[in-house]
Amino acid sequence: MKRLITSGLMFGNLIHVDSPALVERYNRALKHLTGKQTGLTDFYIDISGYSPEVGDELDDPLYLNHAGVNRQFILLTTAQKTAPLLDAKFSTSRGILRQFIEENEPALFALTARDAVAGELVNSVFDMSDPKRLFDIRRIVIEADTTNGRIRRAAELDQKVSRFLNEEDAWFDDVLIAEMIGLAGETGDIVRNPVSLKKMEFEQRDFWTAHFGGLYLFQDLELPGVIASAGKEGLGDLPIEYVFGLEERNRIANFLDLNGLVEPIVKARGIDASAVLRQKMDFMMVDALADAGVDLAGRSRTDMRRLARTHASQLPEEFHALAALLNWAESGGKWPTIASDSPAYFYTLRASGHKDADLVNMLLAELAPKDFRQLFICHKELFYRRYAGWSDTKKAYVVEYLLNEYQVDKVGARKALFGRDAPMEEEIKPEPDMDQLIELVGPWGPVRR
């Protein structure tokens, strides 16, 4: 993992906590939330305030996320909004934290100038021993305050000011006036400088969780279902209509198609489908040849074509299936039938335009693991686990590619793969009679049950 860390592809964009004042504030918040403190004077934190160094020191990687639910957070600066979320247990957590920071940025900026803000992503579940408990998670509420309770005291002061202004004879209530003066000394002038955070709630119906080996929950669909990365054995009788193991590729393909969650890359607007297919084929080639002693560093497009010709017999079935699809898209070759039981099937898809597109692209990344770029973008935890088992040749190629091709323009790369804002300059369309066939039988032919 050292190569990933030094290149900034792992633990990148964390916030450095290295001043005595920030460390002291962090410790106040940490003790407020957990009763623990750190003796470190220099460490890094993610968007939630979690620090790998502090977790190692405390021998508790879940010190801000006990049992993997109701994640707590410590905010020292609004700059944390751009940091990653390490060891995420739910796919929605980082987005919730970022939206909370962005919606309250002026107030948080003022509050964190003097103290840390500590809080929690609260739901009604405190124990994950039973998979059924996941279905009790419906709404996430954010609770937050400074370690000295400034927001709570400001609310108390606001109530007392309201009493003072509206209740008869309140002007003569010496106790009320004394309480107001005392609170104002702690909160400042809340009339000119209001101290409050927006009350924010988030619905959580469709999400991925790391619990139980990894589960994708799609509850807010016409045909709801669960997809289990580690298989559905041991999950028990879940309160949802469909449950699939990741190995049930035909059934998953049918589920995604019937719910309108995916579209074929060659029909997607806003991308250069041919370029995407070529890149996926390169990634498959790297996976196949990395252990064959082939030097992959710095290979040009011409070099990659030459390698494909030389080692054609060593390349996997999905490479040749995508080659046939590329030939159809570019040269009008024969339309390839890529059925759902083909290992190439999920490489040919991306999420369609709906609210859970990120979750679907995350699932597709797991179903098409040789596309290391999509795996890195959509499912970093799985990328890191699989990277650890790759050969040194593949690791070197992957790091070089991500640094030189992806990191230099992450926004552009994501838009090129998943975006729908810009129409394609030359939209690729199937032959006239093919559109009707696709509508009838799915993107690449009948989904076999």
Side-chain angles (χ1 to χ4, degrees), residues 123 201 351 412:
N123 62 61
E201 297 183 359

Side-chain angles (χ1 to χ4, degrees), residues 71 85 88-98 121 204:
R71 179 179 280 272
L85 178 63
K89 298 301 182 185
F90 291 91
S91 59
T92 53
S93 296
R94 183 180 183 274
I96 289 173
L97 283 169
R98 176 156 188 163
L121 275 58
Q204 181 162 304

Side-chain angles (χ1 to χ4, degrees), residues 269-295:
R269 298 181 61 85
I271 64 171
D272 182 347
S274 296
V276 173
L277 290 174
R278 285 196 203 94
Q279 290 161 344
K280 289 176 182 285
M281 291 166 63
D282 286 350
F283 303 154
M284 293 172 182
M285 194 187 315
V286 169
D287 182 76
L289 302 181
D291 295 323
V294 178
D295 182 14

Side-chain angles (χ1 to χ4, degrees), residues 143-433:
E143 296 180 356
D145 202 344
T146 61
T147 56
N148 63 10
R150 188 181 179 198
I151 295 174
R152 175 178 53 80
R153 288 185 173 89
E156 292 176 8
L157 177 57
D158 185 59
Q159 291 177 351
K160 293 182 185 299
V161 169
S162 179
R163 282 181 53 198
F164 181 76
L165 295 175
N166 296 302
E167 288 185 5
E168 188 176 356
D169 297 330
W171 288 77
F172 306 104
D173 189 335
D174 293 336
V175 174
L176 175 62
I177 293 172
E179 290 174 345
M180 289 168 56
I181 293 172
L183 287 170
E186 299 177 15
T187 65
D189 186 348
I190 64 168
V191 176
R192 295 185 179 180
N193 302 293
V195 181
S196 64
L197 297 172
K198 295 179 182 178
K199 183 178 180 181
M200 300 186 71
E201 297 183 359
F202 301 84
E203 186 177 12
Q204 181 162 304
R205 300 280 289 152
D206 301 340
F207 56 90
W208 169 88
T209 177
H211 293 284
F212 311 105
L215 297 176
Y216 297 84
L217 276 73
F218 294 91
Q219 301 177 79
D220 196 20
L221 295 175
E222 185 176 352
L223 300 172
V226 171
I227 299 171
S229 297
K232 56 189 180 183
E233 292 75 14
L235 294 179
D237 186 19
L238 299 181
I240 199 164
E241 189 167 359
Y242 300 106
V243 181
F244 313 117
L246 200 67
E247 73 283 357
E248 298 179 271
R249 295 170 64 88
N250 293 334
R251 297 185 69 202
I252 293 172
N254 198 30
F255 171 78
L256 295 175
D257 184 54
L258 290 174
N259 280 298
L261 298 177
V262 293
E263 62 184 5
I265 291 171
V266 293
K267 292 193 70 180
R269 298 181 61 85
I271 64 171
D272 182 347
S274 296
V276 173
L277 290 174
R278 285 196 203 94
Q279 290 161 344
K280 289 176 182 285
M281 291 166 63
D282 286 350
F283 303 154
M284 293 172 182
M285 194 187 315
V286 169
D287 182 76
L289 302 181
D291 295 323
V294 178
D295 182 14
L296 299 170
R299 292 282 185 172
S300 66
R301 165 58 44 198
T302 301
D303 294 332
M304 297 302 282
R305 285 199 301 267
R306 188 180 299 115
L307 281 176
R309 289 193 296 269
T310 304
H311 301 277
S313 62
Q314 297 173 254
L315 300 179
E317 178 185 341
E318 50 263 50
F319 178 92
H320 297 292
L322 291 195
L325 182 59
L326 180 63
N327 182 49
W328 171 83
E330 291 190 329
S331 307
K334 182 181 178 182
W335 171 262
T337 299
I338 303 177
S340 59
D341 58 356
S342 167
Y345 182 79
F346 292 107
Y347 289 94
T348 67
L349 303 176
R350 74 169 190 177
S352 55
H354 54 81
K355 65 182 179 64
D356 292 315
D358 288 347
L359 181 61
V360 172
N361 281 326
M362 186 180 187
L363 171 62
L364 291 175
E366 187 164 1
L367 290 165
K370 293 177 183 177
D371 185 349
F372 63 79
R373 177 181 54 186
Q374 181 159 338
L375 197 62
F376 180 78
I377 295 172
C378 301
H379 204 334
K380 278 191 173 58
E381 294 299 325
L382 183 58
F383 171 86
Y384 294 139
R385 292 203 302 272
R386 288 186 169 161
Y387 175 92
W390 292 340
S391 67
D392 194 64
T393 301
K394 183 172 180 179
K395 288 178 180 177
Y397 179 89
V398 168
V399 170
E400 179 185 18
Y401 182 91
L402 291 176
L403 282 177
N404 297 330
E405 301 292 334
Y406 172 66
Q407 292 287 86
V408 294
D409 184 14
K410 292 190 286 188
V411 174
R414 290 170 185 259
K415 187 174 181 179
L417 291 171
F418 312 120
R420 293 170 179 79
D421 296 331
M424 297 172 61
E425 291 182 2
E426 294 182 13
E427 184 177 355
I428 300 173
K429 295 182 179 179
E431 297 172 0
D433 59 337

Side-chain angles (χ1 to χ4, degrees), residues 17 23-24 27 37-44 51-57:
V17 180
V23 172
E24 192 272 332
N27 262 329
Q37 287 189 302
T38 175
L40 300 178
T41 58
D42 180 18
F43 51 89
Y44 290 83
S51 168
E53 297 99 325
V54 174
D56 186 60
E57 177 199 20

Side-chain angles (χ1 to χ4, degrees), residues 28-42:
R28 286 207 312 269
L30 186 59
K31 187 165 187 177
H32 174 74
L33 291 174
T34 69
K36 303 174 182 179
Q37 287 189 302
T38 175
L40 300 178
T41 58
D42 180 18

Side-chain angles (χ1 to χ4, degrees), residues 44-116:
Y44 290 83
I45 59 174
D46 69 3
I47 188 173
S48 72
Y50 168 76
S51 168
E53 297 99 325
V54 174
D56 186 60
E57 177 199 20
L58 300 176
D59 194 26
D60 183 6
L62 295 177
Y63 72 92
L64 285 181
N65 194 20
H66 181 69
V69 291
N70 296 299
R71 179 179 280 272
Q72 297 171 305
F73 60 88
I74 298 172
L75 298 180
L76 298 179
T77 168
T78 55
Q80 285 174 237
K81 69 180 181 180
T82 61
L85 178 63
L86 303 179
D87 196 24
K89 298 301 182 185
F90 291 91
S91 59
T92 53
S93 296
R94 183 180 183 274
I96 289 173
L97 283 169
R98 176 156 188 163
Q99 189 172 338
F100 170 72
I101 295 172
E102 289 178 338
E103 288 290 324
N104 293 282
E105 193 156 3
L108 288 172
F109 183 82
L111 291 168
T112 55
R114 299 174 56 184
D115 197 2

